Amino acid sequence: MDFQQGLIATIHDYGLGNLDLPGFRRQLQQRPTALLIPCLMEEFSRPALGLIRDVLGDLQGLHELVIALAADGPEDVAAAEAFFSGMPFPVRVHWTNGPAVRELLESMRELGLDVTGPAGKGWAVWQGLGVACRQAEVIGLFDADIRTFSPAYPERMLRPLLDPSHGVAYVKAFYSRLSLETQALQGRATRLFVGPLLASLEQIFGPLPYLRYLQGFRYPLAGEFAFSRDLAMNLRIPSDWGLEIGLLSEVYRHVASSRIAQVDLGLFDHKHKTLGATPAEGLQRMAAEILRTVLRGVMEHEGRSLAPEELATLEVLYRRVGEDRVRQFGLDSAINRLPYDRHSEELALQSFATLLKPGIHQLMETPVAHQLPSWSRLVSCTHGLQNDLAAAGSIKSSSITAPHQRPTLRHRPATARRPRPAAAPAA
């Protein structure tokens, strides 16, 4: 790993393994910190979530773990609570699509606010932030499908925020996306779409500050990040596949680059999306929404948009830059003795290229995206909304099982869990 720095402060992984769990626990106790995991019920049938649970089980001092769960019924919510029982900190399973939550959010229409969806990761993150920000000063977010989750992930993500002397308000992860089974490079949306797209736009527009900012992140689509409560409360949350880029746009709007850091989490693997048979599926749909989010950010922050005659230039540049990247990733794979299917990479690049023209036309027809309003705006309308949402997302007030009954997961967890003893006070 190099030691180069750029616009965004980079925290490298030098491979020395210098973790400090006791010191990390002490910092967690000094500054209330919550972790947020948006989650579907199907994740409980996969090993990744059990691994995450067991690693987090050593974090005495964490203020709260919030599971923003989309579930079919209260029995699933209760089963999720049982799955996380025995943790050395409070765990709140927040039922994002429960009837009480939907009723509460529907009532916001009376104030002229539409916060009822669409259902998805963005909506879950938005709700989870509302719940977590009630008391936590630092909030970190991890996906529920990380197959390589280790103690280094939360420690390296959160420590830049836990010490106020660093002046950091936002931390973004980056990593090496490799398949555990094949060791092949993953992350095609980042490698073959976002990277070439940003480089092509820079050639058309010149070195705009916003484009330079996005290019400063080594993995702009990483779904793992952390922020201070002040920042989290003031972010509008995108509700489509442009979530990660859209959040970077919001951070750009609110925070100086000197208060942003990116941290290397090393080897990383989670579920892989297929390319998709049509532009409305898989990575193709994701790339189309990312395209519109990037261009919308250029409009918002730079007051610039592509002229009709520049669309052909973008297509030509994107294909050329993309083909150069395919060759570079092939060389990288060859020297590291990783399998590399150049033909499938070229086909993915071609599919992404066909999205440019219809994606830009759609953006021109609908330039304003649906974003969930920031929590600072919402609490200015109704001060108790965060507490009301937390209460609505809980099933503790409902007697759905007798005290002696243990709820059963509809999807049996892939790993069994031994009961944990009560946590001893941190040294």
Side-chain angles (χ1 to χ4, degrees):
M1 173 57 66
D2 62 38
F3 47 79
Q4 301 301 318
Q5 294 289 345
L7 177 67
I8 305 302
T10 300
I11 302 169
H12 297 88
D13 180 2
Y14 293 114
L16 301 177
N18 291 337
L19 300 178
D20 179 13
L21 182 58
F24 183 37
R25 289 172 175 168
R26 287 194 295 271
Q27 285 186 310
L28 289 174
Q29 292 170 339
Q30 293 166 0
R31 194 169 190 191
T33 301
L35 287 180
L36 168 61
I37 300 178
C39 188
L40 301 174
M41 202 62 204
E42 64 192 47
E43 301 298 344
F44 288 86
S45 65
R46 300 188 176 111
L49 192 57
L51 170 65
I52 293 170
R53 173 199 61 191
D54 292 340
V55 169
L56 294 181
D58 288 328
L59 288 189
Q60 289 99 343
L62 188 68
H63 182 76
E64 186 177 41
L65 172 63
V66 177
I67 307 297
L69 177 68
D72 291 336
E75 64 276 12
D76 280 347
V77 181
E81 291 180 340
F83 184 82
F84 283 100
S85 63
M87 301 296 274
F89 44 74
V91 178
R92 175 179 293 274
V93 177
H94 177 77
W95 188 8
T96 61
N97 59 333
V101 166
R102 289 195 174 278
E103 181 180 359
L104 173 65
L105 298 183
E106 187 69 34
S107 71
M108 297 300 292
R109 292 186 186 275
E110 299 175 4
L111 298 174
L113 296 170
D114 181 6
V115 293
T116 57
K121 181 180 176 181
W123 195 48
V125 169
W126 175 78
Q127 288 193 48
L129 287 179
V131 172
C133 285
R134 293 177 304 147
Q135 295 178 319
E137 296 179 11
V138 172
I139 300 96
L141 188 143
F142 290 100
D143 284 334
D145 60 351
I146 305 173
R147 305 169 65 202
T148 50
F149 198 86
S150 77
Y153 285 15
E155 179 170 338
R156 291 175 62 79
M157 280 277 294
L158 295 173
R159 289 193 81 164
L161 289 156
L162 292 176
D163 185 346
S165 69
H166 296 312
V168 173
Y170 180 76
V171 176
K172 177 87 163 176
F174 70 96
Y175 30 64
S176 300
R177 281 285 309 278
L178 294 178
S179 167
L180 287 178
E181 287 77 21
T182 67
Q183 296 187 335
L185 293 176
Q186 302 296 324
R188 287 176 293 177
T190 295
R191 293 188 296 108
L192 301 181
F193 185 69
V194 175
L197 173 67
L198 294 177
S200 301
L201 291 174
E202 184 178 32
Q203 291 191 55
I204 294 173
F205 290 126
L208 298 179
Y210 179 64
L211 291 177
R212 181 169 173 256
Y213 162 80
L214 290 181
Q215 289 177 298
F217 291 94
R218 299 195 177 193
Y219 206 107
L221 297 188
E224 292 69 36
F225 40 84
F227 26 45
S228 66
R229 176 172 58 190
D230 288 346
L231 177 58
M233 286 288 291
N234 284 283
L235 298 177
R236 297 172 300 176
I237 305 297
S239 54
D240 58 15
W241 285 111
L243 171 64
E244 283 78 19
I245 289 288
L247 277 178
L248 288 183
S249 178
E250 283 292 289
V251 172
Y252 182 81
R253 180 185 178 201
H254 289 282
V255 180
S257 59
S258 61
R259 302 194 64 205
I260 302 172
Q262 58 184 336
V263 57
D264 186 357
L265 297 187
L267 180 65
F268 186 97
D269 190 22
H270 66 182
K271 286 186 302 187
H272 310 299
K273 292 186 184 300
T274 62
L275 185 63
T278 71
E281 299 174 337
L283 289 179
Q284 293 189 68
R285 176 185 173 186
M286 180 180 183
E289 295 183 357
I290 290 170
L291 169 67
R292 294 191 292 272
T293 302
V294 169
L295 293 177
R296 191 176 289 115
V298 173
M299 292 176 177
E300 180 176 358
H301 301 298
E302 303 290 352
R304 300 284 298 275
S305 62
L306 282 172
E309 62 272 15
E310 291 174 322
L311 178 52
T313 304
L314 176 62
E315 289 189 81
V316 171
L317 286 173
Y318 170 78
R319 287 181 181 270
R320 190 204 69 194
V321 175
E323 289 168 358
D324 289 345
R325 297 291 173 90
V326 168
R327 181 187 59 81
Q328 292 170 334
F329 289 125
L331 175 62
D332 192 4
S333 297
I335 300 305
N336 282 284
R337 307 187 73 176
L338 306 178
Y340 189 74
D341 186 345
R342 178 167 180 171
H343 178 59
S344 68
E345 297 268 287
E346 295 277 8
L347 291 177
L349 184 69
Q350 293 174 21
S351 296
F352 290 148
T354 63
L355 301 171
L356 297 176
K357 184 179 295 184
I360 292 172
H361 288 161
Q362 185 175 352
L363 173 64
M364 293 299 104
E365 294 172 358
T366 313
V368 179
H370 176 70
Q371 292 178 307
L372 294 159
S374 70
W375 279 100
S376 63
R377 179 188 177 187
L378 290 172
V379 297
S380 71
C381 299
T382 170
H383 294 291
L385 182 59
Q386 288 175 274
N387 288 329
D388 291 343
L389 179 63
S394 172
I395 60 167
K396 293 186 182 299
S397 60
S398 301
S399 179
I400 62 170
T401 56
H404 64 278
Q405 292 176 320
R406 183 180 180 84
T408 303
L409 285 170
R410 290 184 178 183
H411 305 281
R412 185 177 300 277
T415 57
R417 180 176 179 81
R418 295 179 180 177
R420 288 185 177 272

